[in-house]
Amino acid sequence: MFEAIDSVKARYKIDENKIVLRGFSMGGAGAWHIGLHYPDKWAAVEAGAGFTETKKYAKLGPLVGYQEALLRIYDAVDYAANAQMVPIVGYGGEIDPQWQARVNIQERLAAEHIEPPRMLFLIGPGTAHKWEPTSLAASNKFIDAVLAKPRKEPDHIHFVTHTTAYHQCYWISVESVEKQYQRAEVDADRWGEEMRVTTRNVSRIAIDGGKHVVIDGQSVELANFGVLMKTADGWRRAGKAGRYKKPGLQGPIDDAFRDAFLVVRPTGKPENKEAAQYINETLEQFRKEWAKYMRGDVRIKDDKAVTDDDIDRYHLVLFGDTQSNKWTKRIAPLLMRAWPGAPLVPVMIAPNPLNPNRYVVFNSGHTFHEEEFKGTNALLYPRFGDYAMISPALRTVVRGGVFDTEWRQLLRPMNVRP
């Protein structure tokens, strides 16, 4: 979506304050998702039908604990409160099962006692899975009225997220959270250079444009732009950044494939044949599924051919073990206490100790596969968290989970290059 907008902006003169996000059915799901996760990007959002949560829509049973938590990355209903920050039309046909998407949002807003000032819910009388003309006319009228007024950056922000993958709302950025995949919330007001901010489940926050803030009752000087961190003694200006989950580097494994990555193929002799077979099959599966469903070729190199420039430019996706892949041999000891005993296969994501602005991934492409790609897009949620130990004989996860905010659990203390 954002690449498409950048392409249009590069070729046409447009008013960036009048970009409207509209979609129906699968596009409606996209509009709910992108509109509520990025509420500061749009003049208005129109979401017709689609889905706003995964489990009921996809008819799923109970999931593994960390999979349940990871649904909070994508389920738009968990971001319903952000409807306060952008004008939204929510539509569903009266006899369309997908009208539940709109109902989910309405019910969540009601449960939180939130009444967005600029939200229009529409029902198409006697209508199945399509727009009803009178409802469409009402939606067009609502959006036209929004666009007729100047769009201004708000002085009041109420923003909700569950991950730093979605962190920005105008002049506020959630830079890290205390507990992963739990609700984080910011309520902020500004009067000129003075600001008042209250937070929930936020451990670092960036505030743009003020000189002084009272945050959670504590007075702090900002000097126009400041990143604040929460400590045992309260909020203070953040110092030199350490290793912590932050925007663009927070996992889970599938997050690495939202940006430029390089698959690194092993050329050495593996430690264990059974594990090596599983790893090679996983690499080939990823390559084929990416080509078929993502419509591109995986960027891939032998381990011996990887350069310093590659390390700077790409997330590294390393296949193999410490014997077969020279980069796994170099990087794994910086992250793991020990490489798991054969034939277990470690699958993991972490900041790359050779370039802490990029990820390193071990032995995994997307954690969902062809069966999910062929089904509804609601099935494209992470099957692993930040790490998993795979039994190649059983093709199952022996154990897995999510690292904490400071990437702790299996990871060693890490010395990173400047």
Side-chain angles (χ1 to χ4, degrees), residues 278 343-347 384 388-393 395-399:
Y278 172 83
L344 287 180
V345 175
V347 171
F384 304 156
M389 297 298 166
I390 310 293
S391 166
R395 302 292 169 121
T396 59
V397 176
V398 175
R399 61 188 175 96

Side-chain angles (χ1 to χ4, degrees), residues 281-334:
E281 290 175 359
T282 300
L283 170 54
E284 184 62 12
Q285 180 183 34
F286 179 46
R287 188 189 64 79
K288 288 182 177 179
E289 289 176 350
W290 186 275
K292 184 174 182 179
Y293 294 102
M294 306 303 285
R295 300 181 178 89
D297 295 325
V298 168
R299 185 184 292 107
I300 188 166
K301 282 188 174 183
D302 290 344
D303 57 350
K304 296 178 180 179
V306 174
T307 66
D308 287 343
D309 183 59
D310 293 328
I311 294 170
D312 286 335
R313 295 176 61 188
Y314 304 123
H315 301 315
L316 294 187
V317 184
L318 308 179
F319 284 85
D321 57 33
T322 54
Q323 303 300 313
S324 62
N325 190 311
K326 63 175 287 187
W327 292 101
T328 302
K329 181 178 181 180
R330 181 175 176 183
I331 293 173
L334 302 176

Side-chain angles (χ1 to χ4, degrees), residues 1 16 84 91 141 192 209 233 240 275 311 314 327 338 392:
M1 175 65 70
E16 295 187 36
Q84 298 170 92
Y91 166 79
K141 182 178 180 180
D233 298 323
K240 185 177 180 181
I311 294 170
Y314 304 123
W327 292 101

